[in-house]
Amino acid sequence: PGMTAHRMNLFHSSTGQHLQMMIERTCRRRQGRHFAPPNGKKLTLLIDDINLPLPDVHGDHPTAEVMRDLLGQKGFYSRSVAGERTVIEKVHVLGIANCPRQMGREMPERFRRFWLVANLSPESSKELVSVFQVVMDGWTRTLALHSEEVRDILNASFEASVEAVTLLRKDKHALSRIV
């Protein structure tokens, strides 16, 4: 009852501004510059393909910088008022990234230090399902996710991930067509 989840997908064309606006839309103003999920709930953001957006012309990853600011400083700078910070409260982030050797991009260390990184590359779909199930069970216990809706969102996301990996493994040339 005190928990909600929101899934966000990033694409090659996703920008830092786009990601920040999506995160801000999931929260409501509490007091001053402090924002939190509505109704006093905690929010889990599931961000898929976190390392997929293209770097800018300088080689920076604007989406990674927005996430680094959120995780490290509990908010980010306003895009409309210079120097003003927005504080985001009661938000947990679960990020899913592709292996850099496949479709993803290597993320800078200053971004990676905020994450627990697990390389999950099981050989069979059965093993993949069991790994995802363990991860999901751990998250639901750790975050005390008693909401059926949240469990359904996590289940659907894991099932879609398993299906995507299985399809990509069957068609070895799919990655080269996507990139």
Side-chain angles (χ1 to χ4, degrees), residues 40-54:
K41 295 183 177 185
K42 293 180 181 177
L43 173 67
T44 297
L45 291 176
L46 175 65
I47 303 179
D48 198 7
D49 293 329
I50 202 161
N51 65 334
L52 194 59
L54 296 169

Side-chain angles (χ1 to χ4, degrees), residues 65-117:
E65 294 304 317
V66 167
M67 289 308 306
R68 185 176 66 85
D69 210 16
L70 175 63
L71 297 170
Q73 304 296 320
K74 304 294 185 216
F76 20 69
Y77 285 101
S78 169
R79 296 212 175 250
S80 56
V81 180
E84 183 177 290
R85 286 197 55 81
T86 299
V87 177
I88 306 291
E89 301 171 339
K90 296 184 178 185
V91 174
H92 302 281
V93 180
L94 173 61
I96 301 170
N98 290 306
C99 174
R101 292 185 312 267
Q102 294 174 346
M103 287 173 35
R105 285 160 184 72
E106 188 67 39
M107 299 306 283
E109 174 57 33
R110 65 181 186 271
F111 173 74
R112 289 193 318 254
R113 71 176 178 221
F114 291 103
W115 299 92
L116 167 65
V117 178

Side-chain angles (χ1 to χ4, degrees), residues 2 37 44 60 96 128 131 178:
T44 297
D60 296 328
I96 301 170
L128 190 62
V131 167
I178 293 171

Side-chain angles (χ1 to χ4, degrees), residues 163-178:
E163 184 178 339
V165 169
T166 303
L167 289 172
L168 288 171
R169 283 183 176 163
K170 285 180 184 175
D171 184 357
K172 300 285 185 193
H173 302 289
L175 290 176
S176 61
R177 287 196 306 273
I178 293 171

Side-chain angles (χ1 to χ4, degrees), residues 135-147:
V135 170
M136 189 195 80
D137 290 345
W139 270 94
T140 56
R141 276 194 306 278
T142 301
L143 300 175
L145 300 178
H146 302 291
S147 163

